Amino acid sequence: MSSFLHQRPIQNPFSNAYPVSPRSSSTSQRPISIFSPTGLIILLSLMVILGVFVPWSGMPVATFSNSKKASSSLSKWRDYTLAEAASFVAKNGTLIICAVSQPYLPFLNNWLISITRQKHQEKVLVIAEDYATLYKVNEKWPGHAVLVPPAIDSQTAHKFGSQGFFNFTSRRPQHLLKILELGYNVMYNDVDMVWLRDPFPYLEGNHDVYFTDDMVAVKALNNSHDLPPPGKKGRTYICSCMIFLRPKDGAKLVMKKWIEELQAQPWSKAKKANDQPAFNWALNKTAGLVDLYLLPQAAFPTGGLYFKNQTWVQQTKGMHVIIHNNYITGFEKKIKRFQDYGLWLVDDHALDSPLGRL
């Protein structure tokens, strides 16, 4: 019995083989506090990881998604055809078109405000001559702009007398002919115009081509609607900036002849041509074959008359329909003149335009 009591105690095989002090055991088992130096370091490390890496992990997906949507939208308008655009915009078989490059966007907006006041803006199709204009207009007013390739250099197209300006304006009859061949009535305006009244009631009868005189000489209020006689250069001085055409053989013939005349009289440094002389030659050479109609001067005056003959303006007050800001060059000068006559609408009435503020 005593021998049994004096035997060495049997060691627990699951106990620690090495003795541990009570202090070290207590330390190893106590949880780490976030307010301890170690806890603060871990917390700060987690914040850095979450703040830096998590946002970046999501960005490629969002960026790719947005980029894909933008690319899809641009591709849609790049592939948008004149036939599709005309079908979308035309009302009662009629379109109002203009041709615009990026520098002319403020004038486009001014013109659109005046058209909106006459409730004809939904007929407007903008022929964009560069992709910046195409995307901007369709971003603000989807479907109302189309580009007929090739795009031009917008930085040279606005300089009157330059080859760029010639290339820009010489495309006009091509656009108009295509629209006629699609079967639409079409009115063309330059965007340095302002509508004061609705021009459509003045398109009397069923003539092929309607146009305005670019001469400053005052005509009688009951002046003939026939093509005027040629001037000193052997041709008339009709303005190519306000035209209305019906989809008839006569109108198509004039457009084809206009294209031929432009090809026969290309731009050169010696002869800085524009599209208007070629348009007049086309009218003169087809006059006996086409039903032409000269619009009244009092309703559609040239800028050389409206802005420079205030006596005439007072005598014809209330008769003016579309005012053309021509007989002057330069954006700043045109804007200043419009401002002086209360015709620069963009500053105070931009929200009246389908494009809003640009």
Side-chain angles (χ1 to χ4, degrees):
M1 181 70 154
S2 61
S3 62
F4 175 80
L5 291 173
H6 288 88
Q7 287 179 1
R8 294 180 62 184
I10 299 172
Q11 188 174 4
N12 185 346
F14 298 105
S15 66
N16 193 340
Y18 300 99
V20 180
S21 70
R23 182 172 178 177
S24 63
S25 175
S26 171
T27 302
S28 65
Q29 294 174 9
R30 187 169 61 233
I32 297 172
S33 170
I34 62 170
F35 299 108
S36 67
T38 303
L40 289 172
I41 291 171
I42 294 172
L43 184 61
L44 287 172
S45 299
L46 286 171
M47 290 174 66
V48 168
I49 291 170
L50 291 172
V52 173
F53 293 101
V54 171
W56 279 97
S57 67
M59 280 186 65
V61 177
T63 303
F64 177 76
S65 176
N66 292 338
S67 175
K68 187 175 181 180
K69 288 179 181 177
S71 176
S72 175
S73 177
L74 296 183
S75 176
K76 172 185 176 181
W77 299 126
R78 202 162 41 237
D79 299 334
Y80 194 42
T81 67
L82 182 59
E84 291 171 335
S87 176
F88 175 72
V89 174
K91 300 292 180 290
N92 298 318
T94 300
L95 289 165
I96 302 167
I97 74 161
C98 61
V100 182
S101 59
Q102 189 176 25
Y104 283 95
L105 284 175
F107 287 92
L108 170 64
N109 225 15
N110 197 66
W111 176 71
L112 279 173
I113 294 167
S114 73
I115 293 179
T116 301
R117 291 178 174 182
Q118 304 304 324
K119 306 187 186 313
H120 285 291
Q121 73 278 10
E122 291 305 320
K123 297 184 183 76
V124 172
L125 176 61
V126 177
I127 307 291
E129 296 290 4
D130 54 63
Y131 286 103
T133 301
L134 175 71
Y135 299 146
K136 174 57 70 175
V137 173
N138 281 331
E139 173 194 347
K140 299 277 191 172
W141 199 20
H144 281 265
V146 65
L147 188 147
V148 180
I152 63 167
D153 180 0
S154 63
Q155 297 307 310
T156 61
H158 66 281
K159 297 177 182 177
F160 183 83
S162 68
Q163 185 171 7
F165 184 81
F166 176 80
N167 294 340
F168 169 62
T169 58
S170 65
R171 287 157 57 93
R172 187 178 309 172
Q174 299 173 28
H175 300 326
L176 291 169
L177 179 59
K178 288 177 182 177
I179 291 170
L180 291 174
E181 290 174 339
L182 289 170
Y184 298 99
N185 301 308
V186 57
M187 176 183 286
Y188 174 85
N189 278 187
D190 272 4
V191 292
D192 60 344
M193 291 183 167
V194 169
W195 289 25
L196 301 182
R197 299 172 69 182
D198 185 348
F200 283 91
Y202 294 82
L203 305 174
E204 300 176 354
N206 192 36
H207 308 285
D208 298 343
V209 183
Y210 299 72
F211 45 81
T212 63
D213 202 333
D214 210 18
M215 295 292 286
V216 299
V218 174
K219 300 182 184 299
L221 294 178
N222 61 349
N223 188 64
S224 169
H225 295 289
D226 294 338
L227 184 70
K232 294 179 180 179
K233 295 184 179 181
R235 55 172 169 78
T236 50
Y237 291 89
I238 299 302
C239 186
S240 60
C241 307
M242 159 60 198
I243 308 168
F244 181 78
L245 307 166
R246 300 193 190 278
K248 300 166 67 177
D249 291 341
K252 295 174 188 177
L253 177 62
V254 172
M255 294 302 103
K256 291 174 182 177
K257 192 62 179 174
W258 189 0
I259 294 169
E260 288 177 10
E261 292 294 327
L262 283 167
Q263 293 171 345
Q265 303 175 42
W267 185 91
S268 66
K269 290 184 178 180
K271 186 179 180 181
K272 298 179 179 180
N274 60 69
D275 70 302
Q276 188 157 300
F279 178 57
N280 278 270
W281 284 118
L283 290 173
N284 295 169
K285 293 180 180 181
T286 60
L289 305 172
V290 181
D291 186 357
L292 305 176
Y293 187 87
L294 176 66
L295 291 162
Q297 183 186 56
F300 302 90
T302 184
L305 177 59
Y306 182 84
F307 294 108
K308 296 185 178 182
N309 190 332
Q310 290 308 298
T311 300
W312 178 87
V313 169
Q314 289 302 315
Q315 291 172 346
T316 56
K317 187 175 182 179
M319 299 182 187
H320 314 134
V321 177
I322 294 181
I323 305 304
H324 187 195
N325 197 357
N326 63 342
Y327 276 79
I328 190 173
T329 59
F331 286 175
E332 294 76 13
K333 291 179 180 178
K334 283 179 179 280
I335 291 173
K336 177 65 165 56
R337 183 199 257 179
F338 266 158
Q339 289 171 334
D340 291 345
Y341 284 80
L343 298 174
W344 187 247
L345 311 174
V346 172
D347 293 340
D348 298 326
H349 304 284
L351 296 181
D352 293 344
S353 166
L355 300 179
R357 295 192 184 279
L358 293 176

